[in-house]
Amino acid sequence: SIACFGVYAFAGKPWWDFFTPGSLGTKHIWLGYPRQPIEPVMQWYYLIQAAYNVGEMLFLVDISFAFKSTPQFPFVRVGFADSIRGDFNEMATHHMVTNALIFLSSHYRFTIIGSMIFMIHDISDVPVDLSKLANFMKMKVPTVIFFILLLIFWVTFRLVIFPLVIFKSIVTESMLIMEHGDIALKGFYIARLIFGSLIGSLILLHVFWFVVLVRILLVLAFKGETHDLSEHKNGEKQD
């Protein structure tokens, strides 16, 4: 899967080494910009991620809207479909922000930090998909196990590493790209504001979904039922 490919290709890169004392860690994101070489594996990684995320956004549109022909102009009526997700607004925002970040980071050569964001999302998505699959198949024990792993991965990658390592680097270390004088100061502040705002919105969405996960956990603990409250606002019918 793309998560395994990302870990294989980039886990050993120096920008992930932020625990070793004396290492530059996330400073590698900014040092040498904009002349950092972009390896072929990074180019393919971006192409695959772009294709996947655009496809996910189109799929969300497909399951969320119903199109009906009408005899009057404009001859098409658009409405919400019965299959719309319970968290449609948040998921739509997530897809739009993610795709904007992919294409902007590719255009402006911020591919290192882009690959880091891809990885933490892909790794934490694994238990998400496994728990959804187990719940769909009515396998209660595997659902609970994968859900516990989901909580651990979600907190570790999306609520700790993402804001406290990656977003922190944008705020505290991104000025390093000014050392070579290739970027005007005004342009730097505009770019940091745009990328910081987009990434900050993703973090807020992660907090929102963590609250949803806590609600799922409470339903499981007190009612013994496994409901996907992201797909369905009130949960699914239990057999």
Side-chain angles (χ1 to χ4, degrees):
S1 69
I2 189 64
C4 295
F5 176 76
V7 171
Y8 172 78
F10 302 109
K13 296 297 183 180
W15 49 82
W16 281 110
D17 186 20
F18 42 78
F19 290 119
T20 304
S23 66
L24 294 176
T26 51
K27 291 181 180 178
H28 285 284
I29 298 171
W30 317 106
L31 293 173
Y33 179 88
R35 298 189 177 90
Q36 298 162 326
I38 300 178
E39 301 174 359
V41 67
M42 180 72 81
Q43 297 174 14
W44 277 107
Y45 192 47
Y46 254 76
L47 285 172
I48 295 171
Q49 290 284 358
Y52 171 78
N53 281 279
V54 169
E56 284 290 292
M57 186 166 63
L58 294 176
F59 175 72
L60 180 67
V61 172
D62 182 55
I63 66 171
S64 301
F65 297 99
F67 301 89
K68 297 181 179 180
S69 60
T70 61
Q72 295 84 21
F73 182 82
F75 308 115
V76 176
R77 185 172 61 189
V78 181
F80 288 116
D82 294 335
S83 56
I84 189 171
R85 290 176 59 102
D87 61 350
F88 168 77
N89 291 332
E90 293 79 16
M91 185 58 72
T93 302
H94 180 273
H95 284 318
M96 288 187 289
V97 170
T98 300
N99 281 285
L101 281 170
I102 290 173
F103 291 103
L104 287 173
S105 63
S106 176
H107 179 75
Y108 290 103
R109 300 179 64 90
F110 290 121
T111 52
I112 293 178
I113 195 168
S115 69
M116 296 178 76
I117 296 174
F118 289 150
M119 278 185 61
I120 62 171
H121 280 80
D122 291 338
I123 294 172
S124 57
D125 273 343
V126 173
V128 173
D129 295 334
L130 291 175
S131 62
K132 285 179 178 290
L133 177 62
N135 187 45
F136 176 77
M137 298 177 68
K138 306 300 182 182
M139 302 168 63
K140 192 166 186 177
V141 173
T143 298
V144 173
I145 293 173
F146 291 135
F147 182 72
I148 293 173
L149 289 175
L150 161 59
L151 288 174
I152 295 172
F153 277 53
W154 195 277
V155 171
T156 302
F157 290 98
R158 300 200 183 200
L159 299 183
V160 176
I161 293 178
F162 195 14
L164 300 183
V165 176
I166 298 177
F167 187 72
K168 178 184 176 183
S169 179
I170 294 175
V171 175
T172 63
E173 298 174 341
S174 58
M175 279 294 292
L176 289 170
I177 67 176
M178 299 300 296
E179 288 187 352
H180 301 286
D182 294 317
I183 300 176
L185 186 61
K186 183 179 180 180
F188 163 75
Y189 281 120
I190 292 174
R192 186 167 72 169
L193 176 62
I194 293 173
F195 283 97
S197 299
L198 291 172
I199 292 174
S201 65
L202 285 184
I203 295 172
L204 291 177
L205 286 171
H206 293 167
V207 173
F208 166 81
W209 277 311
F210 181 70
V211 173
V212 174
L213 294 175
V214 171
R215 288 179 56 207
I216 296 174
L217 179 63
L218 292 175
V219 171
L220 174 62
F222 291 103
K223 295 185 178 181
E225 299 177 352
T226 53
H227 288 286
D228 187 349
L229 299 177
S230 63
E231 297 280 359
H232 312 275
K233 284 186 179 295
N234 298 316
E236 317 93 301
K237 183 184 293 186
Q238 297 286 305
D239 294 333

